[in-house]
Amino acid sequence: MLFITMTAQTTVVLCLLVKAAWGEMKFPPGFRFGAATAAYQIEGSWNVSDKAESVWDRFTHEHKYYVDSGSNGDVACDSYNRWKDDVRIAKELNLHFYRFSISWPRLLPTAFSNKISDDGRNYYNQLIDALLEEGIEPIVTLFHLDLPQRLQDLGGWANPLIIDWFANYARVVFSLYGDRVKTWITINEPLLICEMSYSDSNLAPGIESIELGNYLCAKNVLLAHATAWRIYDEEFRPKYHGKVSLTNILIWYEPTTGNDSNLGNLANQLCNGIYTHPIFSKTGNWPQSVIKIVDERSKLLGYPYSLLPEFTKKEIEFIKGTYDFFGMNYYISKSIRKSLVNEHIPLWPLEGVPILGAILESQPTWTSGATKWFSAHPPGLRKVLNWIRHNYGDQEIYIMENGYATADTELEDFDRISYLKDHLEQVLLAMKDGVNVTRYTIWSLMDNFEWSDGYTIKFGLYEVDFSSPERTRTPRKSAEYYKNVIETHSLSDFYVKNEL
Ligand SMILES: *[C@@H]1O[C@H](CO)[C@@H](O)[C@H](O)[C@H]1NC(C)=O
Ligand SMILES: *[C@@H]1O[C@H](CO)[C@@H](O)[C@H](O)[C@H]1NC(C)=O
Ligand SMILES: *[C@@H]1O[C@H](CO)[C@@H](O)[C@H](O)[C@H]1NC(C)=O
């Protein structure tokens, strides 16, 4: 009797302990998990039916030397033909949602609404319907780097007319799919579209227009997003009740020493705030610190006015508040320090910040992935989430991408599991800090064409066999891990420990 009582008490105590531990590791009931891909990176079929050429088709075909191994997205994961496989593996993982993007030149061969491609329209209809049938929410990105080449020929994102061109496209997409798609991303990662595509030649369209094109692009991207949001708000929200925002890639710039903290603040505004402040802050407009830095720089270079184009008062009001959630992607942090005398300062946003005279590095304790820019620092995610709250108040935050790059096709990808676990842990810690994160998305559902890294780096929960005509998708260990996180709605710490 005594023995039984003691056991019962011990069991109760143990249960409480376990519950406390799990309680901290648990995500709240409404929290949703998903995985992401993007059209050019998976679809292939670049020249079927009436599909037009995108900047990435042109870039990979003409500038083979810029992309690793001269590869391209001509076939990629062949998702244009094998979308049923994508839905099947999304279901296998029990994803709450699947984030994919629509190819503008596939849907609108002229880039305008005068001609909607039947095949393009049907392709996305089938995909959306199949996902819904499996109980997986489709989250759709309108623009994920694959601009119609026809528009690039007219200046692309540097031409202010793109605001209307994009709005016209957005209206078509909302009207075709808005009855079933309730969560929209207008534009993915302005930092890549404007800074990296204009500052070095690694990303299409590969225009070197540092300190000019990047700023013109930034203004137009923000206005295009705001216009699309307002179109949804006025014409579609009343009947469809969905949510629209953009997603920014946020890099956490960590001061290397205590003396670099101001540099860290400035870099966070220059690379992150430039695309978020105009939309999410109470005042709107570019961050004041960025206006000041670029103004001084422009004067120094003898320009007649600031290289950062001004917003009119009307534009500031027009852009401000055009969101229904805060979308963000996070992969890496960078350690920032003042450059030494005569030290070469490489291009930003990954290696240096010339305008600040600063060098970007990794710290010794941070881990690197398969590619040199990948400096993983999980606490950076918590810091960036708190940075959002500090700058823009309480926001509902959707993490729309986070993932780990490996160099080989390894199925036993414990490094990826550690990365995911460590980052999910930081999400939970940030939530304890009071940050309201409600969605988490892994990049990527499967290996795909990783832009200038081609097929040399892998981000997939599923391995894709690019040498087989079937482009066979095979789950990695991380797929099992993530499936378990989703099913238990908590961090599967035990799985990692047991298996490692
Ligand atoms: C489409 O592109 C492929 C190369 O990716 C080429 O072999 C094929 O001939 C092209 N098809 C058409 C119809 O142009
Ligand atoms: C910070 O700056 C001060 C003053 O210039 C200098 O004395 C100190 O060594 C610096 N600290 C570090 C960690 O670099
Ligand atoms: C997070 O944001 C959503 C949407 O605004 C809201 O419904 C929810 O109550 C918020 N949660 C917390 C913990 O603030």
Side-chain angles (χ1 to χ4, degrees), residues 19-91:
K19 206 170 161 222
W22 276 92
E24 284 172 24
M25 293 300 194
K26 238 178 147 53
F27 290 87
F31 197 95
R32 309 257 200 95
F33 294 95
T37 60
Y40 183 76
Q41 297 177 270
I42 64 164
E43 285 179 2
S45 299
W46 75 282
N47 58 358
V48 301
S49 182
D50 47 0
K51 180 184 171 293
E53 194 184 17
S54 78
V55 292
W56 272 93
D57 295 321
R58 175 72 62 91
F59 188 71
T60 52
H61 294 152
E62 294 196 349
H63 302 276
K64 290 193 166 80
Y65 44 94
Y66 290 153
V67 176
D68 209 285
S69 330
S71 53
N72 58 50
D74 286 3
V75 182
C77 305
D78 197 20
S79 287
Y80 186 71
N81 298 306
R82 301 179 192 282
W83 56 273
K84 283 183 184 156
D85 287 341
D86 301 345
V87 177
R88 177 179 53 77
I89 62 178
K91 180 64 190 168

Side-chain angles (χ1 to χ4, degrees), residues 365-401:
T365 56
W366 301 358
T367 52
S368 66
T371 179
K372 88 178 167 167
W373 55 266
F374 207 99
S375 42
H377 176 52
L381 176 53
R382 180 184 184 182
K383 288 179 184 173
V384 103
L385 287 167
N386 275 286
W387 180 87
I388 294 169
R389 184 155 175 261
H390 175 77
N391 282 276
Y392 311 124
D394 285 325
Q395 298 282 343
E396 183 181 16
I397 300 175
Y398 292 0
I399 297 174
M400 288 278 96
E401 286 182 26

